[in-house]
Amino acid sequence: FIQKQLDSQKPHVKKFIQQRQTDASSSSKLVGVVVDMFSTSIIDVADEFGIPSYVFFTSGAAFLGLMLHFQSLQDEYNQDVSEFSNSKTSLSFPGFANPIPPSVLPIVLVDKPLWIHRFLQCARGYRKAKGILINTFTELEPYAVDSFNLSESSPEIYPVGPILNRVQYVSRDVQSGIMEWLDGQPPGSVIYISFGSLGSLQIDQVKELANGLERSGYRFLWCLRRPPPKNTIVDFPSEY
């Protein structure tokens, strides 16, 4: 459904570009298009006008490399990449310095319907782009970023991160209290725990993790998300 919804926007984008390209003022004409990592079908519209497209990839370089590698295996070697999840041994992939256990592969790559109907389409779109802007920086993912330089088939990669979300989710008093506490800790002594904006934990999991953190003896800062109520239309986690 999401992919069809995005594809339905093509006529609107095409009309917008047409209006810009026929404008008398050369300063208003488009010289490039930047598309979201999930909206790569819009690249086809830009190609009609001969306008170069760039993808803004908000995940890391390692995940991008994994997506492109899986797309290559699927399209060029006709390999069922969902089979990787059944592997009994660790797996080696470009962009990862060490083999990884199959259990940590992202679900979007090994869930067959999700991969075939959604993320494979995105990865194919990345191949069409003139370049990919990644929200990362070389010092954070040196091995993953360097792996793109070894591949002749990959688009040009531009690490442009870190790009941070400046939206205030907590009050300034809470934020200043956190920063004051952090500033008072020895360098390199605090663990930051976060499972991402969609990562939430049930109460029993929270208790187990909290117990492990306390027993570790390390200082920590924990971003904790509450699971959404059951039977909600939009099931995004909230804050505890």
Side-chain angles (χ1 to χ4, degrees), residues 206-225:
V206 171
K207 289 180 178 178
E208 287 297 322
L209 187 52
N211 184 44
L213 285 168
E214 287 189 347
R215 293 177 64 181
S216 75
Y218 284 96
R219 301 167 172 87
F220 62 89
L221 181 62
W222 188 359
C223 177
L224 189 56
R225 305 279 281 164

Side-chain angles (χ1 to χ4, degrees), residues 160-195:
V160 295
I163 298 174
L164 306 176
N165 187 350
R166 295 297 186 182
V167 175
Q168 295 286 335
Y169 290 105
V170 297
S171 69
R172 292 192 178 278
D173 289 342
V174 171
Q175 187 180 43
S176 61
I178 291 172
M179 297 305 295
E180 184 178 346
W181 179 80
L182 280 171
D183 287 341
Q185 309 310 311
S189 67
V190 178
I191 300 173
Y192 175 60
I193 306 113
S194 173
F195 293 93

Side-chain angles (χ1 to χ4, degrees), residues 2 22 34-35 42 44 80 102 126 132 136-137 139 155 158 180 195:
I2 295 173
T22 56
V34 178
V35 302
I42 300 301
D44 296 334
D80 183 356
Y126 303 156
I132 302 178
T136 189
F137 51 101
E139 292 81 2
Y158 302 97
E180 184 178 346
F195 293 93

Side-chain angles (χ1 to χ4, degrees), residues 51-205:
I51 300 174
S53 298
Y54 297 83
V55 173
F56 179 43
F57 195 83
T58 52
S59 290
F63 181 53
L64 173 61
L66 207 55
M67 285 191 70
L68 290 173
H69 181 64
F70 274 41
Q71 177 268 326
S72 176
L73 293 176
Q74 187 86 50
D75 290 342
E76 297 176 26
Y77 299 97
N78 198 30
Q79 184 169 349
D80 183 356
V81 297
S82 64
E83 294 292 329
F84 283 125
S85 60
N86 300 322
S87 176
K88 303 299 182 184
T89 60
S90 295
L91 303 166
S92 296
F93 297 110
F96 286 81
N98 301 303
I100 60 174
S103 59
V104 305
L105 286 172
I107 187 68
V108 298
L109 303 184
V110 293
D111 179 276
K112 197 165 186 175
L114 192 56
W115 166 246
I116 294 293
H117 299 297
R118 187 81 176 93
F119 283 80
L120 177 58
Q121 311 304 319
C122 294
R124 286 170 175 165
Y126 303 156
R127 297 285 186 187
K128 300 177 184 178
K130 186 175 177 64
I132 302 178
L133 317 173
I134 314 179
N135 189 11
T136 189
F137 51 101
T138 304
E139 292 81 2
L140 180 65
E141 299 183 273
Y143 192 91
V145 171
D146 288 344
S147 69
F148 289 107
N149 298 327
L150 303 176
S151 174
E152 296 180 359
S153 60
S154 296
E156 194 72 27
I157 299 299
Y158 302 97
V160 295
I163 298 174
L164 306 176
N165 187 350
R166 295 297 186 182
V167 175
Q168 295 286 335
Y169 290 105
V170 297
S171 69
R172 292 192 178 278
D173 289 342
V174 171
Q175 187 180 43
S176 61
I178 291 172
M179 297 305 295
E180 184 178 346
W181 179 80
L182 280 171
D183 287 341
Q185 309 310 311
S189 67
V190 178
I191 300 173
Y192 175 60
I193 306 113
S194 173
F195 293 93
S197 55
L198 297 181
S200 59
L201 298 172
Q202 302 291 341
I203 288 293
D204 58 338
Q205 295 173 312

